[in-house]
Amino acid sequence: DRLATLLLARGEFEEAERFLTHSVNILQDDYELLYVLGCAHRFNKRNAEARSAFLQGLLLVNEKKENDPERIATRGLFEARLGNVAAARRCALQASSTDSTNPDVMIKVARIYSVVADKEKMLNAFASVQSPDYDVAYLRTALDFEKYRNDPDLLALARRK
């Protein structure tokens, strides 16, 4: 999904959508690919297709009822993209309460809050991420930070990574 994310960041929405659709047809149980495909559909103003991809991904995430904080955060991302803000927030809180030291969990929590436009909580979650992987370069292509990509507060936090 990195190639698709790069294509989306470059504004090559149609190409990303074709690549992702092909990939999802091969890897049908990859909910991460479905998430990026849903974003690609959304960028192409194909809202019904986006909703379908997000719902399909959410079903896959929910198939395993394990209490894995990264899976819970992923569920929150799908909920956020589907407009289920309260459910997304519950997932973010549960994931961060379960493992606030895991950078992969906390970046997903920050992404959830970015999608639901809660800047303060997004900044707090992003600040807690202790990994050099999530720097200014990451923000240039990160799908879920499009509203805050150039936000001076977020960029200041990213420069500290």
Side-chain angles (χ1 to χ4, degrees):
D1 70 20
R2 290 180 192 238
L3 173 60
T5 302
L6 179 61
L7 290 169
L8 290 172
R10 292 177 52 183
E12 298 178 34
F13 304 137
E14 297 284 336
E15 184 65 28
E17 212 171 17
R18 276 192 296 277
F19 172 76
L20 286 161
T21 299
H22 178 71
S23 299
V24 165
N25 287 334
I26 295 169
L27 303 168
Q28 296 176 1
D29 60 346
D30 189 328
Y31 52 81
E32 298 282 353
L33 278 176
L34 282 163
Y35 183 81
V36 180
L37 177 60
C39 291
H41 286 318
R42 179 80 37 93
F43 291 141
N44 277 323
K45 310 271 190 265
R46 292 184 177 100
N47 292 330
E49 291 90 342
R51 182 170 178 73
S52 176
F54 292 138
L55 284 170
Q56 187 179 353
L58 184 59
L59 287 172
L60 287 172
V61 170
N62 286 336
E63 279 181 359
K64 295 185 179 176
K65 298 292 184 187
E66 59 195 53
N67 204 18
D68 172 45
E70 194 166 350
R71 185 177 293 275
I72 293 165
T74 300
R75 183 180 310 127
L77 284 167
F78 281 108
E79 295 285 10
R81 288 290 182 173
L82 287 165
N84 303 329
V85 175
R89 288 177 183 276
R90 279 192 302 275
C91 289
L93 181 60
Q94 184 181 1
S96 61
S97 297
T98 305
D99 191 355
S100 63
T101 62
N102 183 329
D104 295 326
V105 170
M106 293 310 295
I107 199 66
K108 286 183 179 185
V109 169
R111 290 168 55 196
I112 292 167
Y113 286 126
S114 178
V115 172
V116 302
D118 188 331
K119 181 181 173 181
E120 183 179 338
K121 288 188 178 179
M122 181 266 302
L123 290 173
N124 287 337
F126 191 88
S128 74
V129 175
Q130 300 299 317
S131 172
D133 294 338
Y134 303 111
D135 59 3
V136 174
Y138 166 79
L139 290 176
R140 283 190 206 115
T141 60
L143 292 176
D144 298 314
F145 291 102
E146 63 263 8
K147 292 176 194 163
Y148 300 105
R149 194 175 312 282
N150 297 312
D151 181 88
D153 298 325
L154 181 58
L155 290 171
L157 289 172
R159 284 187 191 102
R160 294 183 199 152
K161 300 287 180 197

